[in-house]
């Protein structure tokens, strides 16, 4: 996948993404990490041909999204951020609907439907109406549907948003298992740090419509911060050489150290000059990198609500 | 190609399944027009057969137009509940999606109209059995025009309130200011002109011509006007649907 200078300005004049460029290798899991409103969904909508970019180009699964959108559509699978199931159909009917749109014949449909249902553990509930499914089950069904036609590129927009920890873990298990067996390229978005860190081979940090940095977790952490010293003290800590950033973190103060090798030196200096109540040394995480780059925490925002607005006064 | 035919079929199939499962709404489309038929039918009983023959096909046509336009609500529903995305990213032509949707709405309308036709016969309308097939063709064309209008507005509009406004200020007048309830022979000339400018008038007149022998226009003209307008409305709806961005 090659994305070059993608830009999208919505009708109201909001520029959701600006000059977004990146490449994804075949078979790679690539993550988009950023807070709500960063432009992750907009990027995915453009790459999946739901939205036309204002400017820029992209090649997805080997085809140009603007010139050859039908070929792109044939080769991609998507799990949208918001539910996209027909809840008045059963799980199996949703899958069958999908399979027909992707031109699968009867035998293929039958086989593949039972395969993907098995994979996401929904075989037992295949014939229940989707409206009787829990949020996690719906998510798993959507994942199964995204995999039905064996796409070469899979898009996952916040696949675990709003789910409990257990279900989240389960869904990632499925995704990783599938990735291994079917050798897909995966582009996913998330604002859960741990997920991004654990699952993605490379990550793009995106904020306010711009990509700030792309790299492996190690690279991202390595280039901007090495270790973090969490210090509890009554004193006010002044600048120490080697400390890249000092920020308040509740009762404590976090000192971000850029070069790991300087950690010992800085700890000594702290011990000598301040009255330290508590000191905790840890390796910097993506969260720290994120704060470092954007000046804000990714966790500040609450998750968006899952369901679309339900209109009043209309029976279905 | 195969995929696009599947797409027409599966869109139609989904609408059928949903209709059958939504028992309440199904009952509504079948029962609600009965009130009109009973009110008009019994109310006009004293007036004689010719009035009934005029008014009952009119009520069937009105119900058909109303239920066909509802196809547009389906698009808005799918947009609201996200399912539209599933359809829009599929590798099928959007025209095939529109045709499938239209076929679903038209099927529903045909079922409703046949049922109302039976009631009309029971109530004393004199229907020419030989004319039923051509009348059905006119019904389908009338329904197609209404479906095309509904789907066009459903693709442009993204909320229910605005769709209701369209129903009230465009569809309702088009239904009532047509040959459904107005006879061009007896209406004042300005009103007759409005009726003649309304494409629905020709579909309804064609139906009435074959069902009861009491048409006002030449049936060939009826067929020409309603066919062209039905085709244009479907083309328009495909055009608007093609341009949906989410
Ligand atoms: N349909 C739309 N019309 C106008 N603005 C939009 C639309 N969709 C998203 N936006 C705006 O674009 C920006 C990026 O949104 P989005 O891509 O959904 O971000 P993310 O998925 O990272 O949370 C936000 O400021 C959002 O308000
Ligand atoms: Mg999003």
């Amino acid at each position: 996948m090659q994305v070059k200078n993608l830009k999208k300005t919505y009708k109201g004049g909001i520029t959701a993404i600006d000059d977004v460029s990146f490449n994804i290798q075949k078979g790679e899991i690539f993550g988009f990490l950023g807070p709500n409103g960063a432009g992750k969904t907009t990027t995915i909508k453009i790459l999946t041909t739901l939205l036309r970019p204002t400017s820029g180009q992209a090649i997805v699964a080997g085809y140009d999204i603007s010139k050859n959108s039908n070929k792109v559509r044939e080769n991609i699978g998507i799990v949208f951020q918001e539910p996209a199931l027909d809840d008045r159909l059963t799980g199996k009917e949703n899958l069958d609907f999908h399979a027909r749109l992707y031109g699968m014949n009867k035998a293929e449909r039958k086989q593949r439907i039972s395969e993907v249902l098995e994979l996401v553990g929904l075989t037992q509930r295949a014939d229940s109406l989707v409206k009787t499914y829990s949020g996690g089950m719906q998510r798993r069904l959507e994942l199964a549907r995204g995999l039905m036609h064996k796409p070469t590129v899979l898009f996952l927009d916040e696949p675990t948003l709003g789910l409990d920890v257990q279900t989240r873990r389960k869904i990632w298990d499925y995704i990783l298992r599938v990735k291994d067996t079917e050798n897909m390229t995966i582009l996913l978005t998330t604002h859960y740090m741990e997920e991004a860190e654990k699952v993605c081979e490379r990550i793009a940090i995106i904020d306010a419509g711009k990509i700030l940095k792309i790299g492996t977790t190690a690279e991202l952490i390595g280039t901007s911060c090495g270790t973090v010293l969490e210090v509890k003290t009554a004193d006010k800590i002044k600048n120490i050489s080697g400390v890249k950033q000092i920020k308040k973190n509740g009762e404590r103060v976090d000192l971000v150290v850029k070069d790991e090798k300087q950690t010992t030196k800085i700890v000594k200096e702290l011990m000598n000059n301040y009255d330290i109540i508590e000191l905790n040394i840890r390796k910097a995480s993506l969260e720290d990198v994120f704060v470092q780059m954007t000046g804000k925490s990714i966790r500040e925002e609450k998750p968006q609500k899952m369901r679309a607005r339900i209109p009043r006064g209309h029976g279905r | 190609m195969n995929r696009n035919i599947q797409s027409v079929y599966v869109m139609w199939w989904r609408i059928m399944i949903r209709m059958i499962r939504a028992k309440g709404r199904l009952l509504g489309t079948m029962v609600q027009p009965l009130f009109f038929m009973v009110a008009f039918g019994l109310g006009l009983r004293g007036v004689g057969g010719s009035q009934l023959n005029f008014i009952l096909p009119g009520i069937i046509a009105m119900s058909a137009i109303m239920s066909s336009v509802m196809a547009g609500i389906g698009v808005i529903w799918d947009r609201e509940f996200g399912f539209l995305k599933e359809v829009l990213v599929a590798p099928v032509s959007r025209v095939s999606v529109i045709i499938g949707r239209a076929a679903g709405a038209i099927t529903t309308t045909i079922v409703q109209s046949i049922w109302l036709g039976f009631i009309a016969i029971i109530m004393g309308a004199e229907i020419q059995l030989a004319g039923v097939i051509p009348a059905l063709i006119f019904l389908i064309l009338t329904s197609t025009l209404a479906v095309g209008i509904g789907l066009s507005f459903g693709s442009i509009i993204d909320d229910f309130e605005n769709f209701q406004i369209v129903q009230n200020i465009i569809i309702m007048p088009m239904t009532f200011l047509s040959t459904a309830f107005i006879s061009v022979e007896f209406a004042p000339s300005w009103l007759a002109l409005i009726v003649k400018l309304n494409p629905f008038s020709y579909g309804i007149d064609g139906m009435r011509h074959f069902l009861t022998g009491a048409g006002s226009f030449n049936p060939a003209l009826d067929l020409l006007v309603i066919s062209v307008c039905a085709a244009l409305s479907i083309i328009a709806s495909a055009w608007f649907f093609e341009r949906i961005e989410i």
Side-chain angles (χ1 to χ4, degrees):
Chain A
M1 180 168 1
Q2 293 171 351
V3 179
K4 234 163 104 192
N5 310 113
L6 223 49
K7 175 173 179 162
K8 176 72 188 180
T9 305
Y10 283 107
K11 280 198 194 82
I14 298 171
T15 298
I17 58 168
D18 195 5
D19 206 18
V20 163
S21 306
F22 58 92
N23 292 326
I24 305 181
Q25 302 303 316
K26 198 166 162 33
E28 189 177 17
I29 303 191
F30 189 88
F32 254 45
L33 182 66
N36 279 337
K40 305 183 295 293
T41 299
T42 304
T43 309
I44 289 215
K45 281 183 176 171
I46 292 173
L47 296 180
T48 57
T49 75
L50 272 178
L51 276 181
R52 276 176 277 272
T54 308
S55 61
Q57 294 103 41
I59 307 282
V60 173
Y63 299 97
D64 188 297
I65 52 162
S66 310
K67 297 191 195 102
N68 222 336
S69 56
N70 222 46
K71 274 288 177 196
V72 172
R73 289 174 188 166
E74 270 175 38
N75 289 292
I76 58 175
I78 311 157
V79 175
F80 299 101
Q81 178 173 345
E82 268 130 27
L85 295 165
D86 186 338
D87 68 355
R88 306 300 155 120
L89 300 182
T90 66
K92 203 182 238 169
E93 284 166 349
N94 268 285
L95 296 179
D96 191 64
F97 182 95
H98 183 89
R100 284 175 189 269
L101 287 183
Y102 287 76
M104 296 166 73
N105 67 35
K106 195 169 176 179
E108 282 172 335
R109 291 203 300 269
K110 192 164 182 290
Q111 195 212 340
R112 192 67 183 148
I113 287 175
S114 64
E115 256 173 48
V116 294
L117 281 172
E118 195 62 43
L119 179 73
V120 301
L122 281 175
T123 309
Q124 305 297 320
R125 295 296 303 277
D127 292 315
S128 316
L129 293 183
V130 169
K131 65 175 172 177
T132 67
Y133 285 20
S134 68
M137 290 165 72
Q138 293 194 8
R139 220 62 192 133
R140 271 144 61 200
L141 181 63
E142 290 194 281
L143 184 59
R145 184 176 67 180
L147 296 170
M148 272 295 287
H149 54 286
K150 302 200 167 167
T152 51
V153 181
L154 182 65
F155 292 89
L156 304 168
D157 195 0
E158 311 259 7
T160 55
L161 183 64
L163 301 178
D164 59 78
V165 180
Q166 230 174 347
T167 316
R168 273 164 62 186
R169 191 170 311 143
K170 240 183 192 165
I171 287 190
W172 284 117
D173 282 349
Y174 298 133
I175 293 173
L176 294 178
R177 201 178 330 153
V178 168
K179 203 245 155 200
D180 283 343
T181 52
E182 313 210 339
N183 189 34
M184 283 177 309
T185 307
I186 300 180
L187 170 58
L188 63 92
T189 77
T190 182
H191 63 259
Y192 295 122
M193 291 286 174
E194 329 80 68
E195 286 189 356
E197 220 163 304
K198 212 170 70 189
V199 188
C200 301
E201 289 161 13
R202 279 192 310 143
I203 294 168
I205 293 185
I206 177 170
D207 186 40
K210 293 209 191 283
I211 292 188
L212 302 179
K213 195 144 213 164
I214 300 179
T216 63
T217 305
E219 281 166 6
L220 290 173
I221 294 174
T223 54
S224 58
C225 29
T227 47
V228 176
L229 308 182
E230 300 174 341
V231 186
K232 195 168 168 188
T233 172
D235 303 340
K236 173 130 180 60
I237 297 178
K238 290 194 211 69
N239 273 342
I240 302 175
S241 88
V243 171
K244 197 169 176 196
Q245 194 187 25
I246 302 178
K247 61 178 200 284
K248 253 192 100 53
N249 182 2
E251 291 203 296
R252 297 170 327 204
V253 181
D254 286 358
L255 308 188
V256 180
V257 180
K258 186 170 175 184
D259 186 0
E260 282 172 296
K261 293 186 207 98
Q262 292 196 295
T263 310
T264 338
K265 182 195 109 251
I266 293 166
V267 170
K268 274 184 193 149
E269 200 170 330
L270 276 173
M271 293 303 205
N272 292 339
N273 301 328
Y274 300 93
D275 189 9
I276 305 291
I277 304 167
E278 205 181 298
L279 176 65
N280 188 15
I281 306 175
R282 63 173 171 84
K283 215 168 155 32
S285 68
L286 266 185
E287 171 83 22
D288 300 305
V289 176
F290 192 83
V291 174
Q292 181 80 77
M293 283 181 176
T294 64
K296 62 188 172 202
S297 166
I298 201 167
R299 285 167 217 263
E300 275 161 19
E301 276 104 339
K302 293 197 180 66
Q304 282 163 317
K305 68 175 197 269
M306 281 284 284
R307 262 288 168 195
R309 174 176 63 93
I310 298 177
R312 280 162 292 132
H314 290 276
R316 263 184 118 174
Chain B
M1 194 59 221
N2 169 41
R3 211 158 18 202
N4 287 325
I5 292 168
Q6 283 277 10
S7 152
V8 172
Y9 167 74
V10 81
M11 289 307 300
W12 174 84
W13 166 87
R14 170 169 174 255
I15 290 171
M16 294 299 105
I17 291 269
R18 288 179 62 109
M19 182 181 75
I20 292 163
R21 289 195 183 146
K23 298 260 166 16
R25 216 183 63 206
L26 184 61
L27 206 66
T29 47
M30 297 300 158
V31 172
Q32 199 198 27
L34 286 183
F35 295 121
F36 285 99
M37 300 199 71
V38 171
F40 281 109
L42 294 183
L44 292 170
R45 179 148 281 182
V47 189
S50 69
Q51 287 284 28
L52 263 187
N53 282 349
F54 184 82
I55 215 83
L56 290 179
I59 294 174
I60 295 176
M62 176 192 78
S63 312
I65 293 170
M66 296 294 185
S67 73
S68 300
V69 167
M70 292 294 285
I73 291 271
V75 178
I76 298 176
W77 263 117
D78 280 0
R79 189 194 285 251
E80 193 77 32
F81 279 83
F83 193 73
L84 191 57
K85 289 191 291 250
E86 156 77 353
V87 175
L88 294 183
V89 294
V92 295
S93 82
R94 294 195 181 175
V95 176
S96 72
V97 174
I98 278 291
I99 292 174
R101 275 194 177 280
I106 293 165
T107 308
T108 314
T109 302
I110 292 173
V111 173
Q112 181 199 44
S113 301
I114 289 177
W115 151 251
L116 293 179
F118 273 115
I119 304 290
I121 293 172
I122 292 169
M123 290 180 62
E126 292 143 7
I127 284 175
Q128 303 169 354
L129 281 182
V132 167
I133 298 295
L136 263 179
I137 291 172
F138 275 101
L139 172 78
I140 290 170
L141 290 168
T142 308
S143 168
T144 306
L145 172 57
V147 166
I149 295 173
L151 290 177
S152 297
F153 283 107
S155 304
I156 304 167
I157 293 170
D158 59 7
D159 76 47
F160 294 93
E161 279 78 22
N162 288 338
F163 192 83
Q164 249 165 12
I165 293 172
V166 168
Q167 278 177 307
N168 291 337
I169 69 171
I170 296 178
I171 306 303
M172 287 282 275
M174 281 185 91
T175 311
F176 284 98
L177 299 178
S178 73
T179 50
F181 302 110
I182 296 170
S183 152
V184 282
E185 284 95 348
F186 299 114
S189 58
W190 62 269
L191 185 58
L193 180 67
I194 293 177
V195 171
K196 282 181 188 163
L197 287 175
N198 179 353
F200 281 124
S201 291
Y202 298 86
I204 299 167
D205 188 70
M207 270 166 69
R208 188 178 278 127
H209 180 89
F210 285 100
L211 277 184
T212 68
S216 307
F217 309 135
N218 182 340
L221 177 69
D222 287 337
L223 185 64
L224 179 72
V225 174
I226 194 69
S227 306
V228 169
C229 292
L232 287 178
S233 80
I234 290 294
I235 291 169
S237 66
W239 196 85
F240 287 120
F241 191 71
E242 190 79 46
R243 271 149 195 80
I244 292 185
E245 285 196 340
I246 288 192

